[in-house]
């Protein structure tokens, strides 16, 4: 006995959605076609109200009917009607599509912002760098010769404290003291808060 023969073709009343889902669960393609004809306009209408875009609505509706075909065995008539089950599935699919689209737009926007070349005024930046350079130069001139020498070697020359001590032929502790005192004086001269 096939799934098609369980359906009484002489009955004049159309099969209910629940009956059709039962037959679909057994692989009845004719029942699937009937169910599609019965409920597809409602499903498409719901999806289209949520998604607005007609092409996406058709795509999601197609996915819903594929899911109905694949998961008809999971339908439990004791938990609710077939239409409710299908429309809930449709609503969830449509909302998932909206969320996925929004996530894609958010991701694209973040990438776009990251890749956006921020224009800035080269002349203004050059002037600011020169002014800052002059401030540092003026502040450095207010250091003692010994402090200036240690700071210049450590910060402009890139030498470690040990290398500065070796170059100046002085103890490491003395280098550290000169650097500390020089940096405190520079901070005060430049008006930098500690």
């Amino acid at each position: 006995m096939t799934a098609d023969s369980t359906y009484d073709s002489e009955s004049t009343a159309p099969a209910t959605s629940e009956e059709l889902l039962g037959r679909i669960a057994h692989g009845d393609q004719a029942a699937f076609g009937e169910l599609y004809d019965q409920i597809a306009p409602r499903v498409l209408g719901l999806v289209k109200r949520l998604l607005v875009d007609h092409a996406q609505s058709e795509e999601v509706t197609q996915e819903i009917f594929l899911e109905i075909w694949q998961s008809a065995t999971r339908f439990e008539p004791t938990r609710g009607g077939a239409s409710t089950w299908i429309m809930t599935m449709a609503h969830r699919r449509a909302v998932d599509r909206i969320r996925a689209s929004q996530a894609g737009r958010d991701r694209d926007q973040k990438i776009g912002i990251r890749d956006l070349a921020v224009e800035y005024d080269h002349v203004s930046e050059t002037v600011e760098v020169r002014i800052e350079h002059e401030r540092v130069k003026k502040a450095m001139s207010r250091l003692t010769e010994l402090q200036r020498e240690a700071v210049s070697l450590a910060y402009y020359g890139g030498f470690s404290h040990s290398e500065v001590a070796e170059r100046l032929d002085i103890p490491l502790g003395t280098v550290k003291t000169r650097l500390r005192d020089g940096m405190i004086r520079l901070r005060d001269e430049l008006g930098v808060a500690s």
Side-chain angles (χ1 to χ4, degrees):
M1 179 179 246
T2 65
D4 291 328
S5 63
T6 60
Y7 175 67
D8 183 7
S9 61
E10 295 178 15
S11 173
T12 56
T16 65
S17 299
E18 289 77 10
E19 292 169 339
L20 292 172
L21 274 175
R23 290 171 41 207
I24 293 167
H26 292 95
D28 187 339
Q29 292 180 7
F32 182 75
E34 253 185 86
L35 180 70
Y36 182 88
D37 292 341
Q38 277 183 12
I39 204 160
R42 286 181 53 207
V43 171
L44 180 61
L46 171 66
V47 172
K48 194 170 180 183
R49 270 195 310 276
L50 293 169
L51 295 180
V52 180
D53 180 72
H54 187 73
Q56 275 198 38
S57 299
E58 287 179 341
E59 187 177 315
V60 170
T61 299
Q62 204 172 34
E63 291 171 5
I64 293 162
F65 278 95
L66 176 62
E67 187 175 351
I68 291 168
W69 175 257
Q70 292 172 338
S71 63
T73 56
R74 291 195 319 240
F75 171 67
E76 296 177 31
T78 57
R79 298 187 72 195
S83 295
T84 304
W85 184 70
I86 292 168
M87 296 307 275
T88 300
M89 188 183 307
H91 186 268
R92 286 182 182 152
R93 280 274 180 163
V95 169
D96 286 349
R97 178 63 65 98
I98 291 168
R99 288 180 180 149
S101 294
Q102 184 62 46
R105 281 192 299 274
D106 291 349
R107 183 180 56 252
D108 291 346
Q109 185 177 17
K110 285 178 185 175
I111 290 170
I113 288 171
R114 182 193 69 204
D115 294 343
L116 180 67
V118 179
E119 293 186 28
Y120 60 94
D121 186 355
H122 293 282
V123 173
S124 174
E125 187 170 323
T126 302
V127 169
E128 286 180 31
V129 168
R130 282 187 185 158
I131 290 171
E132 194 62 30
H133 179 71
E134 288 301 317
R135 284 185 67 217
V136 171
K137 189 175 174 183
K138 185 177 177 183
M140 287 286 287
S141 71
R142 296 208 171 111
L143 297 179
T144 66
E145 181 62 36
L146 299 173
Q147 290 172 339
R148 186 175 29 251
E149 189 176 35
V151 168
S152 293
L153 287 171
Y155 293 99
Y156 291 119
F159 294 103
S160 69
H161 293 177
S162 301
E163 291 171 330
V164 172
E166 191 177 304
R167 280 185 168 272
L168 298 178
D169 196 28
I170 57 175
L172 180 60
T174 304
V175 169
K176 290 182 179 184
T177 300
R178 287 180 188 174
L179 286 171
R180 186 197 70 227
D181 292 345
M183 294 308 291
I184 290 171
R185 193 165 200 179
L186 280 175
R187 184 186 70 214
D188 292 343
E189 291 291 332
L190 294 171
V192 177
S194 57

